[in-house]
């Protein structure tokens, strides 16, 4: 008589003897303590690779993309493994020729949520969750005007702008990961 235990694609076979059951117990413990954590780490790694790929493409669509850095962090967790997709952007602080300081401008918030209604008639779907809408990140006061001016340090003059289009790198990566979570799990496990 044989006993089979299926775990993902892994099949454990044994006969129903004391020696067979002991071996099955060792095999199952090894799977639980070594093989399964390795598979989980690989799974989270694959999800993060997809997230980086998608978010980088969206970052590259924006002229502000050169100010954005993407990275990942993966670590063991009591639930198995934790992966984080991280986007960091520069914060621009401007002072005009008269010494007037303008509120800081966050490049990552600008390309995630947009600045100005001209390029962003529809808000990021996560805007309400974070209390951020088109151009409503801290200090952004001209979000719903079609054109406003900013001080260009290089040319020492005021220049018009319609704002920044939201390319939504983090939202798009999140949705792509959600849509592929089962497919990737099947591939890894």
């Amino acid at each position: 008589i044989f006993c089979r235990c299926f775990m993902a694609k892994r099949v454990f076979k044994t006969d129903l003897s004391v020696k067979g059951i002991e071996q099955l117990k060792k095999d199952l413990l090894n799977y639980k303590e070594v093989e399964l954590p390795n598979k989980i780490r690989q799974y989270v790694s694959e999800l993060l690779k997809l997230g980086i790929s998608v978010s980088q493409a969206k970052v590259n669509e924006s002229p502000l993309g050169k100010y954005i850095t993407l990275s990942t962090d993966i670590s063991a967790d009591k639930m198995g493994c934790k992966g984080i997709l991280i986007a960091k952007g520069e914060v621009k602080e401007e002072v005009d020729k008269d010494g007037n300081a303008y509120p800081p401008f966050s490049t990552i918030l600008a390309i995630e949520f947009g600045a100005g209604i001209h390029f962003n008639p529809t808000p990021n779907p996560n805007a309400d969750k974070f209390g951020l809408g088109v151009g409503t990140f801290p200090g952004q006061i001209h979000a719903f005007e079609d054109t406003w001016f900013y001080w260009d340090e290089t040319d020492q003059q005021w220049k018009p702008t319609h704002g920044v289009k939201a390319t939504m790198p983090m939202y798009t990566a999140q949705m792509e990961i959600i849509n592929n979570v089962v497919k990737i799990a099947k591939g890894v496990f």
Side-chain angles (χ1 to χ4, degrees):
I1 299 176
F2 286 94
C3 176
R4 291 185 182 177
C5 295
F6 294 91
M7 298 190 109
K9 292 181 178 179
R10 181 81 189 263
V11 178
F12 298 88
K13 295 180 185 181
T14 190
D15 60 38
L16 293 177
S17 66
V18 173
K19 185 178 178 183
I21 297 295
E22 287 297 321
Q23 185 59 47
L24 178 60
K25 181 180 171 183
K26 286 180 188 175
D27 292 346
L28 288 171
L29 284 173
N30 181 60
Y31 184 81
K32 176 186 170 194
E33 294 173 5
V34 178
E35 293 179 47
L36 188 57
N38 288 342
K39 287 287 187 183
I40 291 169
R41 186 173 184 83
Q42 180 186 352
Y43 174 59
V44 172
S45 228
E46 292 295 320
L47 292 173
L48 289 174
K49 274 196 248 177
L50 175 62
I52 280 284
S53 171
V54 170
S55 58
Q56 188 65 62
K58 289 302 198 176
V59 163
N60 291 343
E61 287 179 16
S62 175
L64 294 177
K66 63 187 172 192
Y67 302 111
I68 308 300
T69 304
L70 297 169
S71 62
T72 61
D73 183 38
I74 189 167
S75 60
D77 184 79
K78 64 182 178 183
M79 298 297 289
C81 190
K82 174 175 70 176
I84 302 171
L85 176 59
I86 303 162
K88 291 182 183 177
E90 289 185 20
V91 175
K92 302 291 187 178
E93 299 191 51
E94 302 276 335
V95 178
D96 69 15
K97 65 182 177 185
D98 299 323
N100 299 314
Y102 293 94
F105 180 81
S106 170
T107 55
I108 187 63
L109 290 177
I111 68 169
E112 186 66 38
F113 296 99
I117 199 68
H118 180 83
F119 294 118
N120 303 288
T122 305
N124 180 308
N126 281 337
D128 290 339
K129 184 189 314 183
F130 299 111
L132 298 169
V134 176
T136 60
F137 48 86
Q140 211 322 321
I141 58 172
H142 303 293
F144 300 102
E145 296 177 20
D146 186 57
T147 304
W148 66 95
F149 293 82
Y150 69 97
W151 181 253
D152 186 326
E153 273 299 317
T154 308
D155 295 341
Q156 293 289 300
Q157 64 181 348
W158 289 96
K159 290 189 173 179
T161 182
H162 287 296
V164 177
K165 181 178 191 260
T167 60
M168 299 185 283
M170 300 307 278
Y171 173 78
T172 307
Q174 170 191 352
M175 295 312 298
E176 196 67 23
I177 288 169
I178 289 169
N179 291 332
N180 286 282
V181 74
V182 172
K183 178 183 174 187
I184 292 172
K186 286 179 179 179
V188 170
F189 293 99

